Amino acid sequence: MITKRSIERVTETARIEEVVGNFVNLRRRGVNLIGLCPFHNEKTPSFTVSPSKNIYKCFGCGKGGDSVNFVMEHEGYSYIESIQYLAKMYGIQLEEVEVSDEYKKSEEKDQSLFIINEWAKNKFSHYLFNTQYGSKVGLAYFKERGFREAIIKKFDLGFALDEADALTKSAMETQYNVELLKELGLTSQSNRDFFRNRVMFTIHNLSGKPIGFAGRIMGKNDKLPKYINSPESSIYNKRKTLYGLFFAKNEIRKQDFCYLVEGYTDVISLVQSGIENVVASSGTSLTTEQILLIKRYTSTIKVIYDGDAAGINAAVRGLEMIIAESMNVKLVILPENHDPDSFIQEVGTSSFQEYVEKNEKDFVLFKVNLLLKDAENDPIKKANVLKDIIKTLSVVREPILRSMYVRECSNIMKIDEKIIYNEINKLIKTEIKEKNLKRLRDENEDLKTDLTIAGGDEDKEKISQTVYQVSDAYQENELMKILLTKGCKIYNKETGELVVDRIISEIKNNLQFLKINCI
């Protein structure tokens, strides 16, 4: 167990603005610093850091505390792990005394998983640089891709031998638990190596620890997938992981925007060329959790896709989630037959950045023009395009931004703005009713039972109408509660706007009500 003296030294040394600054994009406001809270989704900063008091506080969700509390909450660490993290950050040598067996067992598993992954990372690196086959096949592949040795070592790239159980045997000889090897996906259920004859990409968490691996097969084999990834474990959640974010986070905060690409090699190639604020979605479709990870450091994402049809379609499918999180999205389509890796190696860093600046497009307007091009002069197809665009516009939460999009779409599609607004409002109203219906179902067991009663279509229609009436009444009651209890309180300290003013503004814009957080 860590001594009290060591813990006191860590808590006295750690500066809250430095600790939080590793994860949240902060800007100064008076004597304090503010930013978007990393613990809940918000559009207006309510997260405050006080250097003088050495604490943080979110006035939105209520979370607060010192540096240790922040690391525990943000990283999901235990108290001891948070102390160890801060000690490492500030170069403090911790004094420890013997702990009980019970405590050791409670901390043992995850620590063991990290240790095994660290060992495997070093083993893959050894196979790459220090074996004849690894150098001939794996290292040669990376060098053919144009990767220098420094970047290979920075990203902990490696190689898995073309042998049945080389890694597993070595791990067992080192007395690592084979069940933990299986949980991490390093060993199969038949005690064979999961990764064989593949170049290896190490996946790191935000603290730089190896939490998983991706392996690309060497040679052509139609029977095997080109890439395979570690399975999820207690230390690796694909939905909450972005490849390269550990290396990119400081530069993303500094540049105030993030390049989002598709592949591991795209990230490595751009970083080697001097563009460090770049991440990839780690072998999965883009998730809300990954978007919120980026949002901790910037509100602007520039998404770079390959210049083929598949890349363009992927762009259209994936970016509405980013807009829904009130982020600024720019889309860049590369020339045909190019990905970020090949393009930057062909044209160089300066030309790559110039191309991005000249060709970055607003996603919503890009989607409108793309869909209209496919629809041509077909009225039915155009109507479907309008429905698709309205769905996209309905997730834009910022009133000013939405109004600009509506005006542009109205001009492009030659449709009255009122029609577009009416359709958006219908969609939002339906969404609100559906959310309230779900809430009512969860909160009112009697109503939930009624809704599941078997009956004819006529009975079901009556039930549905009753629910929607209750849903509207529920909204009215909630609104009245807010007006009576918080109406005269300040909603925005900077502008002096009251809660009642905010509600009137929202009603005028016919938008979804926002949760009121009073000051």
Side-chain angles (χ1 to χ4, degrees):
M1 184 177 290
I2 301 171
T3 63
K4 184 178 180 181
R5 182 171 59 181
S6 287
I7 292 175
E8 288 175 348
R9 187 182 174 197
V10 169
T11 55
E12 289 169 0
T13 303
R15 303 305 307 160
I16 191 66
E17 67 272 23
E18 295 172 348
V19 176
V20 174
N22 284 331
F23 304 94
V24 178
N25 190 20
L26 298 171
R27 65 176 186 272
R28 186 162 292 281
R29 178 181 287 177
V31 296
N32 295 326
L33 301 165
I34 65 166
L36 294 175
C37 179
F39 306 122
H40 80 286
N41 190 18
E42 61 176 12
K43 293 181 288 186
T44 304
S46 59
F47 184 85
T48 302
V49 171
S50 172
S52 61
K53 297 179 181 178
N54 211 24
I55 60 172
Y56 72 94
K57 173 69 177 179
C58 177
F59 294 94
C61 65
K63 295 185 184 297
D66 60 9
S67 296
V68 179
N69 296 127
F70 181 86
V71 175
M72 288 174 67
E73 192 74 40
H74 192 278
E75 295 297 282
Y77 285 175
S78 66
Y79 180 79
I80 297 300
E81 286 174 330
S82 298
I83 293 294
Q84 291 170 335
Y85 172 91
L86 292 171
K88 184 176 180 181
M89 178 178 174
Y90 287 96
I92 297 172
Q93 185 69 38
L94 294 174
E95 299 173 353
E96 297 189 32
V97 294
E98 190 171 341
V99 297
S100 67
D101 290 340
E102 184 178 350
Y103 177 80
K104 286 181 180 179
K105 288 178 181 178
S106 68
E107 298 290 321
E108 188 177 59
K109 185 179 178 183
D110 281 1
Q111 289 301 319
S112 296
L113 294 178
F114 280 121
I115 289 169
I116 292 173
N117 267 349
E118 181 72 23
W119 173 86
K121 177 202 78 174
N122 293 332
K123 203 69 177 177
F124 289 137
S125 178
H126 170 77
Y127 291 152
L128 181 72
F129 287 105
N130 302 317
T131 67
Q132 185 176 356
Y133 184 71
S135 297
K136 182 180 178 181
V137 178
L139 191 57
Y141 168 80
F142 285 133
K143 289 188 174 179
E144 284 173 9
R145 298 298 298 252
F147 297 159
R148 295 187 291 272
E149 191 168 310
I151 204 73
I152 292 172
K153 291 181 176 179
K154 176 176 180 174
F155 278 86
D156 294 320
L157 304 183
F159 185 73
L161 296 176
D162 190 16
E163 297 179 17
D165 55 1
L167 185 78
T168 300
K169 275 187 176 179
S170 181
M172 294 177 73
E173 288 170 1
T174 316
Q175 297 187 332
Y176 287 127
N177 187 321
V178 70
E179 294 305 317
L180 295 183
L181 289 166
K182 291 177 180 178
E183 183 173 336
L184 288 168
L186 295 169
T187 300
S188 70
Q189 293 303 315
S190 56
N191 288 344
R192 296 166 67 89
D193 289 355
F194 180 68
F195 298 102
R196 298 196 299 273
N197 196 33
R198 293 175 181 269
V199 287
M200 300 299 295
F201 299 84
T202 300
I203 300 168
H204 306 83
N205 64 10
L206 282 174
S207 303
K209 292 182 178 180
I211 55 176
F213 300 93
R216 185 196 189 281
I217 197 166
M218 294 287 91
K220 293 182 178 180
N221 190 332
D222 296 334
K223 295 180 180 180
L224 295 174
K226 185 176 180 180
Y227 279 93
I228 56 175
N229 291 71
S230 298
E232 293 198 343
S233 65
S234 59
I235 63 172
Y236 178 39
N237 186 327
K238 293 178 183 178
R239 293 183 61 85
K240 298 179 180 180
T241 303
L242 283 163
Y243 182 74
L245 185 56
F246 167 67
F247 303 101
K249 58 187 180 182
N250 290 333
E251 193 64 20
I252 292 171
R253 188 165 50 238
K254 181 179 177 182
Q255 298 291 336
D256 198 21
F257 77 90
C258 175
Y259 287 114
L260 178 63
V261 297
E262 293 184 90
Y264 305 108
T265 56
D266 295 329
V267 171
I268 297 167
S269 192
L270 264 61
V271 171
Q272 180 173 259
S273 299
I275 299 174
E276 297 184 39
N277 51 326
V278 55
V279 299
S281 57
S282 194
T284 66
S285 298
L286 189 63
T287 67
T288 300
E289 291 90 341
Q290 291 170 338
I291 295 167
L292 294 177
L293 271 177
I294 297 174
K295 194 175 180 180
R296 294 179 186 177
Y297 305 100
T298 182
S299 60
T300 301
I301 301 179
K302 296 185 180 182
V303 186
I304 305 178
Y305 277 103
D306 301 353
D308 55 18
I312 294 172
N313 289 331
V316 172
R317 286 194 304 269
L319 302 191
E320 286 184 4
M321 289 188 297
I322 303 177
I323 292 176
E325 300 304 330
S326 301
M327 297 187 72
N328 180 25
V329 190
K330 298 295 182 183
L331 178 64
V332 181
I333 302 295
L334 296 177
E336 196 170 352
N337 299 321
H338 272 300
D339 57 27
D341 176 19
S342 65
F343 189 55
I344 198 167
Q345 294 208 39
E346 180 177 300
V347 304
T349 305
S350 297
S351 295
F352 180 91
Q353 291 175 316
E354 287 174 11
Y355 179 89
V356 169
E357 290 176 9
K358 289 180 181 178
N359 292 277
E360 60 184 35
K361 294 176 172 58
D362 181 276
F363 165 64
V364 174
L365 301 182
F366 172 83
K367 181 176 180 178
V368 173
N369 287 300
L370 178 66
L371 295 181
L372 281 178
K373 184 179 179 181
D374 291 338
E376 295 181 345
N377 296 318
D378 188 326
I380 296 177
K381 287 185 177 179
K382 281 190 174 181
N384 290 330
V385 168
L386 179 59
K387 290 179 181 178
D388 198 334
I389 296 304
I390 285 169
K391 184 179 178 182
T392 299
L393 294 178
S394 71
V395 304
V396 179
R397 301 305 184 195
E398 294 290 341
I400 295 175
L401 182 59
R402 182 189 286 169
S403 66
M404 292 173 62
Y405 280 140
V406 169
R407 190 179 303 116
E408 289 289 339
C409 292
S410 173
N411 292 333
I412 294 171
M413 301 183 72
K414 305 278 193 289
I415 295 174
D416 194 310
E417 287 185 34
K418 290 182 180 178
I419 295 175
I420 299 177
Y421 273 120
N422 287 338
E423 294 302 314
I424 291 173
N425 292 333
K426 285 180 186 177
L427 205 59
I428 293 175
K429 188 174 182 180
T430 300
E431 180 187 341
I432 293 172
K433 286 185 175 180
E434 287 175 351
K435 286 181 178 179
N436 285 333
L437 175 58
K438 184 180 183 301
R439 184 172 179 177
L440 284 168
R441 281 174 170 162
D442 292 340
E443 293 180 353
N444 191 325
E445 288 299 322
D446 292 335
L447 180 58
K448 187 176 181 182
T449 302
D450 290 341
L451 286 170
T452 56
I453 293 174
D457 291 338
E458 186 177 346
D459 292 333
K460 291 180 180 178
E461 179 63 26
K462 287 180 181 178
I463 292 170
S464 178
Q465 289 175 1
T466 302
V467 169
Y468 278 103
Q469 289 169 5
V470 175
S471 177
D472 289 338
Y474 178 84
Q475 292 182 65
E476 292 170 5
N477 289 336
E478 289 299 301
L479 181 57
M480 289 301 297
K481 287 179 185 177
I482 293 172
L483 286 170
L484 290 171
T485 60
K486 302 180 180 180
C488 294
K489 292 188 177 182
I490 295 175
Y491 177 80
N492 188 319
K493 187 184 290 185
E494 291 183 350
T495 63
E497 182 183 27
L498 300 179
V499 170
V500 64
D501 299 326
R502 182 64 177 181
I503 289 174
I504 292 171
S505 174
E506 291 293 335
I507 293 173
K508 283 182 178 179
N509 287 297
N510 207 4
L511 297 175
Q512 183 177 353
F513 291 132
L514 304 177
K515 183 179 179 182
I516 303 298
N517 293 314
C518 297
I519 298 171

